[in-house]
Amino acid sequence: MSIKERMSGNEAVSYAIRQVNPDVMPAFPITPSTEIPQMVSTFAANGQVDTEFIPVESEHSAMSAAIGAEAAGARTMTATSSAGLALMWEELLLAASNRLPLALALVNRTLSGPININCDHSDGMGARDTGWIQIYAENNQEAYDNFIQAFPIAENPSVHLPIMICQDGFITSHAVENIELLEDEPVKKFVGEYNPEEFLLNPGKPIAVGPYSVSNYAMEAKKNQEDAMENAKEVILEVAKKFYKMSGRKYGLFEEYRTKDADYIMLIMGSAAGTAKEAVDELREKGMKAGVLKLRVFRPFPEKEIAEALKNCKAAAIMDRCESYNGNGGPLGSEVTAGLYRNKVIIETVNYIYGLAGRDFTVDHAKQIFDELAGLVEEGKEVMQHQYIGLRK
């Protein structure tokens, strides 16, 4: 039975953490994720969880402690944002290469500089090649649901990789929305107990974690990591099916909104998908066949599935809330077009950069993009690639 409540995204994730009841949570505060460790430490102080909350001196230390706890056999998670994730950089790669299925609640915030505390995806995208699974949320409900699914995905024997559950800073983390929570017992049963096969504090079977790897072995270890990331795709879908049976809420690698007959599709990730959907609804009333493909899972990257979803449209807008500084576009702009090419899907695509450092992205912006796609296809108008939306003149 669902519990109807009103919560911010940070509250929703914290509530999910209370229900999951991890063994250890090391954390260091940073805006806009500070509320998550604050709330979990309160749960621990009040005896509502058994979690060992560890206040540390930096985010680097938080991830170091998380790695140590997970390697010792404890279900472990932490939370951070922006520069905090950047300070964890070295440790992120170690967590993944050591195949430690810990979870991180990432509240997305722009990376400096210039100094800014508002939302974009430069922190998560900056860590896209560290070997972590990355799942993004459009709203508070999805942030809550995604975190409950996190450990069953990460701890699956065919995966055993760390996972980031991402939500947009301030936009979802601090905004209060209606939400449907699950009762504690079904969540506890869904997540289950963590029983690692190998761990440091097993006296009968000593192991080494993170030893030096000579050239004869390191490449094979990296290939095993990649295989695990590929396995994660199927596991994410399996966990989503089980979650649907428990909650009635469906999840996949992405959501297709009015795309079946769409001529023009906007591929977007995070909270701005809601804005894009509203634009689609308005354009449909005027006769334009527009749709939205909201990417939920960024790592592993669902290349073939995206290509299949876009193959029948005439043009796609690929929306990046992050700049790659490669002179050609953002991360999604590069990966989606490469995936389309490899899967022999030939459609018009335009890469747009939007919402950097919290810049507004409006329904009118989305409608203008769809109009531009239509002009490209129907009138042969030239459209500039790598455009910035809402840029001041």
Side-chain angles (χ1 to χ4, degrees):
M1 187 175 179
S2 64
I3 304 165
K4 296 187 184 298
E5 190 50 272
R6 288 174 295 173
M7 285 185 170
S8 70
N10 279 346
E11 287 178 302
V13 168
S14 300
Y15 194 93
I17 293 168
R18 182 192 65 75
Q19 293 181 306
V20 171
N21 193 16
D23 298 314
V24 180
M25 181 180 179
F28 186 85
I30 182 170
T31 302
S33 65
T34 298
E35 290 177 317
I36 296 175
Q38 180 183 359
M39 291 175 191
V40 176
S41 66
T42 302
F43 293 147
N46 292 343
Q48 294 172 273
V49 292
D50 300 322
T51 306
E52 184 72 28
F53 182 83
I54 307 173
V56 291
E57 68 273 16
S58 74
E59 291 88 353
H60 187 280
S61 299
M63 187 51 63
S64 296
I67 288 171
E70 188 72 44
R75 179 178 276 163
T76 306
M77 61 87 50
T78 187
T80 196
S81 298
S82 184
L85 189 70
L87 190 54
M88 292 177 177
W89 173 259
E90 174 191 15
E91 304 300 319
L92 293 177
L93 289 111
L94 292 175
S97 65
N98 288 330
R99 307 295 297 278
L100 301 173
L102 58 92
L104 186 151
L106 178 63
V107 183
N108 293 111
R109 173 189 137 186
T110 190
L111 274 166
S112 301
I115 295 172
N116 182 282
I117 64 166
N118 296 303
C119 175
D120 65 31
H121 295 158
S122 52
D123 50 3
M125 293 294 106
R128 65 187 179 272
D129 296 333
T130 57
W132 283 60
I133 298 165
Q134 289 191 11
I135 299 181
Y136 284 75
E138 177 187 341
N139 50 43
N140 302 2
Q141 183 71 65
E142 291 186 9
Y144 169 78
D145 292 347
N146 287 344
F147 196 89
I148 289 172
Q149 295 173 69
F151 283 112
I153 294 167
E155 292 171 359
N156 185 284
S158 68
V159 178
H160 243 264
L161 289 173
I163 186 167
M164 290 183 197
I165 299 299
C166 310
Q167 63 167 318
D168 285 356
F170 295 108
I171 299 169
T172 62
S173 67
H174 285 62
V176 175
E177 294 180 346
N178 292 330
I179 188 171
E180 287 191 9
L181 303 168
L182 298 162
E183 293 181 338
D184 290 355
E185 280 306 310
V187 171
K188 184 178 179 181
K189 185 177 178 182
F190 178 82
V191 176
E193 295 293 328
Y194 180 42
N195 297 302
E197 185 179 346
E198 307 280 359
F199 55 99
L200 283 172
L201 297 184
N202 183 352
K205 193 178 180 183
I207 61 168
V209 174
Y212 178 73
S213 180
V214 297
S215 299
N216 290 350
Y217 296 96
M219 192 167 176
E220 285 70 21
K222 291 178 182 294
K223 180 60 169 68
N224 285 337
Q225 254 185 275
E226 169 58 22
D227 290 344
M229 186 62 78
E230 292 176 18
N231 293 342
K233 194 187 296 183
E234 184 177 343
V235 172
I236 288 166
L237 294 175
E238 288 173 359
V239 171
K241 285 179 183 176
K242 293 176 183 176
F243 186 81
Y244 172 66
K245 289 179 182 178
M246 177 177 66
S247 68
R249 293 188 287 274
K250 284 187 177 182
Y251 289 97
L253 303 174
F254 48 75
E255 176 193 344
E256 295 181 83
Y257 185 77
R258 306 189 78 166
T259 59
K260 280 190 176 179
D261 65 339
D263 292 329
Y264 309 107
I265 295 176
M266 180 175 288
L267 187 148
I268 197 163
M269 192 162 62
S271 61
T275 303
K277 290 174 184 177
E278 189 170 337
V280 162
D281 290 342
E282 291 184 18
L283 291 170
R284 285 276 178 171
E285 289 179 6
K286 296 178 180 178
M288 178 185 282
K289 292 181 179 179
V292 172
L293 191 154
K294 180 187 75 182
L295 188 59
R296 174 181 178 242
V297 178
F298 178 65
R299 286 288 184 271
F301 187 69
E303 171 195 300
K304 292 179 181 177
E305 293 83 354
I306 289 173
E308 182 67 22
L310 295 180
K311 71 178 183 181
N312 293 321
C313 76
K314 296 177 180 177
I318 304 169
M319 308 298 294
D320 268 296
R321 199 164 197 160
C322 172
E323 174 59 87
S324 278
Y325 300 109
N326 62 12
N328 295 298
L332 285 175
S334 299
E335 296 202 16
V336 173
T337 51
L340 292 173
Y341 177 81
R342 277 195 291 264
N343 288 277
K344 297 179 173 55
V345 174
I346 308 302
I347 59 170
E348 296 285 357
T349 62
V350 183
N351 187 203
Y352 296 88
I353 308 295
Y354 77 98
L356 300 188
R359 182 65 57 90
D360 284 343
F361 178 69
T362 68
V363 172
D364 283 341
H365 287 145
K367 287 160 70 175
Q368 288 165 16
I369 289 167
F370 279 113
D371 287 340
E372 196 163 61
L373 293 182
L376 169 66
V377 171
E378 296 168 23
E379 302 171 41
K381 290 183 178 178
E382 278 195 28
V383 176
M384 183 177 70
Q385 288 282 350
H386 196 192
Q387 293 187 47
Y388 276 59
I389 300 302
L391 192 68
R392 292 187 296 112
K393 303 290 185 183

